[in-house]
Amino acid sequence: MVKYFGEKNYEHGSDDKTGVLITNLGTPDAPKRKELKKYLNQFLSDPRVIEIPKFIWQLILQLVILQIRPSKSAAAYKKIWTENGSPLLDISIRQLNAIKNKLSKSDPNMVIALGMRYGNPSIENALKKLQSQHVRRLLILPLYPQYCAATTGSTFDAVTNVLQKWRWIPEVRFINQYFEENSYIKVLSNSIQKFWIKNKKPEKIIFSYHGIPKRYLINGDPYHCFCLKTTRLVKEYMQLNDEDVMTTFQSRFGREEWLQPYTSETLKELPKQNIKDIHIISPGFSADCLETLEELEEENKEYFLKAGGASYNYIPCLNDSQEHIDFISELITKHTQGWKK
């Protein structure tokens, strides 16, 4: 059998370009049950996300989860949906445009595209756009500071699944994490310091990261260690004491044990320890989304205040702040060193 390698992706005499694919997790097209069912089906069918034998998991997913969860998720998305649609997509587009403006001055021959791992705009369509512009050097930047197989690894799968269908594969570089970059720690720390100037330093700051099943850690995923190190690097940069800082994990799903301590349970217990003034930040996200705007800023705030807390403040993600855009642009420049301009 002859394998089909897709459309013609080279023309003699065309100018070779450097392409950058920026990716993030994704979002449904609308905060409605139908759109959420499609989105969740794609997301929860990813074997990197759910490491359960496919046959068994698909029975559970199709017969149980996708009959119940889409309506609940749609209700949550409606709370954060804006005139510009999904906050994550809106912020991602702003990030993309700002990075384009920043880098076009130093390298007008660089083309940049945005692709979401799940939903739209898809990674496949973003790669096709880059292909149509004769990209021969390709940098992939998943905007996940800490590597995790369920996010960064899954992005690698999606990209290579597309590229294996191309006749002429571009030279590829892949950024699989950036939390240890000094500039990233500085930008993250500055965002906290600026927030404290306006809102005063709290009794404790909680670093809440998206959780994964503990089983993934046991099987060799480094994500847990990278989250703890992120907190430590910020603590050291800001010269905070151990008792000022705490790391927790949010957004668990299903019945098995996930990374602990759990954010929600921690917030219910802190007031009992006479800690009633906290700030919470989620350094695992590069842009605000459902897990920050609805889960942290609303749901978990309610847990804390109901348990007797007095003051709860959520520190936004870096989003499209100028310092964040400058950092991402510098990161791209660093990883495209040595390539033709």
Side-chain angles (χ1 to χ4, degrees):
M1 178 180 286
V2 178
K3 186 172 182 178
Y4 176 61
F5 288 100
E7 300 175 3
K8 179 180 178 182
N9 61 353
Y10 175 72
E11 294 179 9
H12 290 282
S14 60
D15 293 329
D16 293 348
K17 294 182 179 180
T18 297
V20 179
L21 174 64
I22 296 173
T23 75
N24 213 315
L25 190 74
T27 179
D29 292 330
K32 299 179 181 179
R33 186 183 187 281
K34 180 180 178 182
E35 284 76 8
L36 260 299
K37 186 173 183 179
K38 180 180 178 181
Y39 174 76
L40 290 173
N41 185 45
Q42 183 186 13
F43 174 44
L44 296 176
S45 292
D46 187 339
R48 290 276 198 180
V49 175
I50 306 294
E51 295 184 10
I52 295 175
K54 183 176 180 181
F55 176 74
I56 296 173
W57 174 244
Q58 281 298 317
L59 284 176
I60 299 171
L61 179 63
Q62 301 300 327
L63 298 180
V64 181
I65 296 173
L66 291 181
Q67 303 307 314
I68 301 171
R69 194 171 177 86
S71 296
K72 293 182 178 179
S73 295
Y77 270 102
K78 284 179 182 177
K79 293 179 182 178
I80 66 165
W81 215 257
T82 71
E83 292 182 357
N84 295 325
S86 158
L88 174 60
L89 181 56
D90 180 38
I91 294 167
S92 296
I93 291 172
R94 298 205 307 264
Q95 289 173 333
L96 174 70
N97 291 333
I99 294 166
K100 281 182 176 179
N101 291 335
K102 177 86 174 177
L103 292 178
S104 63
K105 300 171 184 177
S106 58
D107 189 357
N109 206 36
M110 179 181 288
V111 290
I112 309 174
L114 171 69
M116 294 294 183
R117 177 61 185 90
Y118 315 103
N120 296 304
S122 69
I123 284 176
E124 182 173 13
N125 285 338
L127 285 170
K128 284 182 178 179
K129 286 183 180 180
L130 294 175
Q131 183 188 43
S132 69
Q133 296 179 75
H134 310 297
V135 163
R136 295 299 322 129
R137 298 163 297 279
L138 176 64
L139 175 69
I140 299 104
L141 172 54
L143 287 180
Y144 310 117
Q146 303 83 13
Y147 175 91
C148 180
T151 52
T152 318
S154 178
T155 301
F156 180 85
D157 293 344
V159 170
T160 53
N161 284 341
V162 174
L163 293 183
Q164 66 179 301
K165 300 171 187 174
W166 290 14
R167 184 173 297 279
W168 193 12
I169 305 298
E171 183 178 350
V172 177
R173 296 178 183 176
F174 188 92
I175 301 175
N176 70 350
Q177 64 197 41
Y178 55 85
F179 74 95
E180 291 176 294
E181 295 280 342
N182 291 334
S183 296
Y184 170 72
I185 296 301
K186 180 180 179 181
V187 171
L188 188 59
S189 300
N190 285 348
S191 74
I192 296 171
Q193 194 61 54
K194 288 178 181 178
F195 193 84
W196 286 357
I197 290 173
K198 294 181 179 179
N199 299 276
K200 297 183 180 180
K201 182 179 175 181
E203 294 175 336
K204 191 178 287 289
I205 178 170
I206 312 295
F207 287 70
S208 178
Y209 299 85
H210 198 291
I212 58 172
K214 183 179 179 180
R215 172 168 49 91
Y216 295 7
L217 166 64
I218 295 172
N219 289 339
D221 197 300
Y223 174 72
H224 177 257
C225 300
F226 292 166
C227 293
L228 295 179
K229 188 171 183 180
T230 302
T231 300
R232 176 173 65 78
L233 291 174
V234 172
K235 182 190 72 174
E236 291 173 353
Y237 183 89
M238 298 185 70
Q239 299 182 333
L240 301 174
N241 298 319
D242 289 344
E243 60 268 22
D244 295 333
V245 176
M246 188 174 190
T247 295
T248 62
F249 296 89
Q250 64 185 84
S251 310
R252 67 188 189 274
F253 172 77
R255 296 181 178 179
E256 71 175 302
E257 182 181 358
W258 281 43
L259 299 180
Q260 294 196 43
Y262 299 138
T263 299
S264 57
E265 300 309 308
T266 298
L267 292 175
K268 294 173 184 177
E269 291 298 319
L270 286 177
K272 298 176 184 178
Q273 302 168 24
N274 204 34
I275 298 172
K276 299 185 177 183
D277 175 18
I278 69 161
H279 289 175
I280 193 162
I281 189 170
S282 197
F285 295 98
S286 59
D288 278 307
C289 54
L290 183 72
E291 287 79 5
T292 63
L293 298 174
E294 195 277 332
E295 187 177 351
L296 287 186
E297 198 166 17
E298 295 184 21
E299 181 182 334
N300 282 274
K301 179 179 182 178
E302 187 175 345
Y303 292 149
F304 182 71
L305 296 180
K306 278 189 174 181
S311 179
Y312 177 107
N313 283 285
Y314 167 67
I315 302 174
C317 291
L318 297 176
N319 294 325
D320 61 333
S321 65
Q322 189 59 55
E323 281 189 284
H324 194 209
I325 297 303
D326 290 344
F327 164 71
I328 296 173
S329 301
E330 290 169 7
L331 188 66
I332 291 170
T333 300
K334 173 182 175 180
H335 284 270
T336 53
Q337 287 292 320
W339 270 346
K340 174 185 173 183
K341 290 189 178 182

PDB file of all heavy atoms in Angstrom, residues 271 275-277 303-311:
ATOM      1  N   PRO A 271      -8.805  28.287  57.850  1.00  0.00           N
ATOM      2  CA  PRO A 271      -9.392  29.146  58.889  1.00  0.00           C
ATOM      3  C   PRO A 271      -9.366  28.502  60.283  1.00  0.00           C
ATOM      4  O   PRO A 271      -9.269  29.207  61.295  1.00  0.00           O
ATOM      5  CB  PRO A 271     -10.832  29.356  58.405  1.00  0.00           C
ATOM      6  CG  PRO A 271     -10.730  29.212  56.913  1.00  0.00           C
ATOM      7  CD  PRO A 271      -9.724  28.123  56.709  1.00  0.00           C
ATOM      8  N   ILE A 275      -5.639  30.970  59.994  1.00  0.00           N
ATOM      9  CA  ILE A 275      -5.127  31.642  58.793  1.00  0.00           C
ATOM     10  C   ILE A 275      -6.345  32.081  57.990  1.00  0.00           C
ATOM     11  O   ILE A 275      -7.017  31.267  57.359  1.00  0.00           O
ATOM     12  CB  ILE A 275      -4.232  30.699  57.968  1.00  0.00           C
ATOM     13  CG1 ILE A 275      -3.019  30.282  58.800  1.00  0.00           C
ATOM     14  CG2 ILE A 275      -3.784  31.378  56.674  1.00  0.00           C
ATOM     15  CD1 ILE A 275      -2.181  29.198  58.159  1.00  0.00           C
ATOM     16  N   LYS A 276      -6.633  33.392  58.055  1.00  0.00           N
ATOM     17  CA  LYS A 276      -7.890  33.868  57.500  1.00  0.00           C
ATOM     18  C   LYS A 276      -7.717  34.906  56.387  1.00  0.00           C
ATOM     19  O   LYS A 276      -8.698  35.455  55.892  1.00  0.00           O
ATOM     20  CB  LYS A 276      -8.758  34.448  58.620  1.00  0.00           C
ATOM     21  CG  LYS A 276      -9.107  33.407  59.681  1.00  0.00           C
ATOM     22  CD  LYS A 276     -10.059  33.951  60.717  1.00  0.00           C
ATOM     23  CE  LYS A 276     -10.435  32.863  61.718  1.00  0.00           C
ATOM     24  NZ  LYS A 276     -11.442  33.338  62.722  1.00  0.00           N
ATOM     25  N   ASP A 277      -6.464  35.176  56.034  1.00  0.00           N
ATOM     26  CA  ASP A 277      -6.185  36.155  54.978  1.00  0.00           C
ATOM     27  C   ASP A 277      -5.196  35.522  53.994  1.00  0.00           C
ATOM     28  O   ASP A 277      -4.020  35.363  54.312  1.00  0.00           O
ATOM     29  CB  ASP A 277      -5.596  37.425  55.607  1.00  0.00           C
ATOM     30  CG  ASP A 277      -5.156  38.446  54.554  1.00  0.00           C
ATOM     31  OD1 ASP A 277      -5.603  38.337  53.393  1.00  0.00           O
ATOM     32  OD2 ASP A 277      -4.355  39.330  54.896  1.00  0.00           O
ATOM     33  N   TYR A 303     -15.528  28.245  49.458  1.00  0.00           N
ATOM     34  CA  TYR A 303     -15.117  27.258  50.464  1.00  0.00           C
ATOM     35  C   TYR A 303     -14.395  27.948  51.629  1.00  0.00           C
ATOM     36  O   TYR A 303     -14.660  27.674  52.802  1.00  0.00           O
ATOM     37  CB  TYR A 303     -14.168  26.223  49.853  1.00  0.00           C
ATOM     38  CG  TYR A 303     -14.790  25.292  48.834  1.00  0.00           C
ATOM     39  CD1 TYR A 303     -14.034  24.778  47.788  1.00  0.00           C
ATOM     40  CD2 TYR A 303     -16.129  24.900  48.940  1.00  0.00           C
ATOM     41  CE1 TYR A 303     -14.582  23.915  46.857  1.00  0.00           C
ATOM     42  CE2 TYR A 303     -16.696  24.039  48.007  1.00  0.00           C
ATOM     43  CZ  TYR A 303     -15.919  23.550  46.970  1.00  0.00           C
ATOM     44  OH  TYR A 303     -16.462  22.703  46.042  1.00  0.00           O
ATOM     45  N   PHE A 304     -13.458  28.816  51.282  1.00  0.00           N
ATOM     46  CA  PHE A 304     -12.624  29.465  52.292  1.00  0.00           C
ATOM     47  C   PHE A 304     -13.446  30.385  53.191  1.00  0.00           C
ATOM     48  O   PHE A 304     -13.312  30.350  54.423  1.00  0.00           O
ATOM     49  CB  PHE A 304     -11.516  30.257  51.596  1.00  0.00           C
ATOM     50  CG  PHE A 304     -10.561  30.942  52.531  1.00  0.00           C
ATOM     51  CD1 PHE A 304      -9.650  30.203  53.277  1.00  0.00           C
ATOM     52  CD2 PHE A 304     -10.561  32.326  52.662  1.00  0.00           C
ATOM     53  CE1 PHE A 304      -8.759  30.829  54.144  1.00  0.00           C
ATOM     54  CE2 PHE A 304      -9.675  32.960  53.521  1.00  0.00           C
ATOM     55  CZ  PHE A 304      -8.772  32.209  54.256  1.00  0.00           C
ATOM     56  N   LEU A 305     -14.291  31.203  52.595  1.00  0.00           N
ATOM     57  CA  LEU A 305     -15.070  32.156  53.379  1.00  0.00           C
ATOM     58  C   LEU A 305     -16.119  31.452  54.238  1.00  0.00           C
ATOM     59  O   LEU A 305     -16.356  31.844  55.388  1.00  0.00           O
ATOM     60  CB  LEU A 305     -15.738  33.169  52.443  1.00  0.00           C
ATOM     61  CG  LEU A 305     -14.779  34.070  51.647  1.00  0.00           C
ATOM     62  CD1 LEU A 305     -15.558  35.025  50.752  1.00  0.00           C
ATOM     63  CD2 LEU A 305     -13.845  34.845  52.583  1.00  0.00           C
ATOM     64  N   LYS A 306     -16.714  30.390  53.713  1.00  0.00           N
ATOM     65  CA  LYS A 306     -17.705  29.634  54.492  1.00  0.00           C
ATOM     66  C   LYS A 306     -17.064  28.935  55.684  1.00  0.00           C
ATOM     67  O   LYS A 306     -17.713  28.714  56.719  1.00  0.00           O
ATOM     68  CB  LYS A 306     -18.417  28.607  53.604  1.00  0.00           C
ATOM     69  CG  LYS A 306     -19.551  29.181  52.775  1.00  0.00           C
ATOM     70  CD  LYS A 306     -20.346  28.076  52.107  1.00  0.00           C
ATOM     71  CE  LYS A 306     -21.572  28.642  51.386  1.00  0.00           C
ATOM     72  NZ  LYS A 306     -22.384  27.569  50.750  1.00  0.00           N
ATOM     73  N   ALA A 307     -15.786  28.592  55.538  1.00  0.00           N
ATOM     74  CA  ALA A 307     -15.072  27.905  56.621  1.00  0.00           C
ATOM     75  C   ALA A 307     -14.589  28.875  57.694  1.00  0.00           C
ATOM     76  O   ALA A 307     -14.012  28.454  58.695  1.00  0.00           O
ATOM     77  CB  ALA A 307     -13.895  27.122  56.042  1.00  0.00           C
ATOM     78  N   GLY A 308     -14.807  30.173  57.461  1.00  0.00           N
ATOM     79  CA  GLY A 308     -14.414  31.157  58.462  1.00  0.00           C
ATOM     80  C   GLY A 308     -13.311  32.099  58.030  1.00  0.00           C
ATOM     81  O   GLY A 308     -12.848  32.923  58.820  1.00  0.00           O
ATOM     82  N   GLY A 309     -12.883  31.996  56.773  1.00  0.00           N
ATOM     83  CA  GLY A 309     -11.873  32.906  56.255  1.00  0.00           C
ATOM     84  C   GLY A 309     -12.424  34.319  56.155  1.00  0.00           C
ATOM     85  O   GLY A 309     -13.630  34.522  55.997  1.00  0.00           O
ATOM     86  N   ALA A 310     -11.546  35.304  56.224  1.00  0.00           N
ATOM     87  CA  ALA A 310     -11.981  36.705  56.198  1.00  0.00           C
ATOM     88  C   ALA A 310     -11.655  37.401  54.883  1.00  0.00           C
ATOM     89  O   ALA A 310     -12.420  38.245  54.409  1.00  0.00           O
ATOM     90  CB  ALA A 310     -11.335  37.458  57.358  1.00  0.00           C
ATOM     91  N   SER A 311     -10.512  37.064  54.271  1.00  0.00           N
ATOM     92  CA  SER A 311     -10.080  37.758  53.059  1.00  0.00           C
ATOM     93  C   SER A 311      -9.428  36.764  52.092  1.00  0.00           C
ATOM     94  O   SER A 311      -8.481  36.060  52.465  1.00  0.00           O
ATOM     95  CB  SER A 311      -9.085  38.865  53.412  1.00  0.00           C
ATOM     96  OG  SER A 311      -8.632  39.531  52.247  1.00  0.00           O
TER      97      SER A 311
END
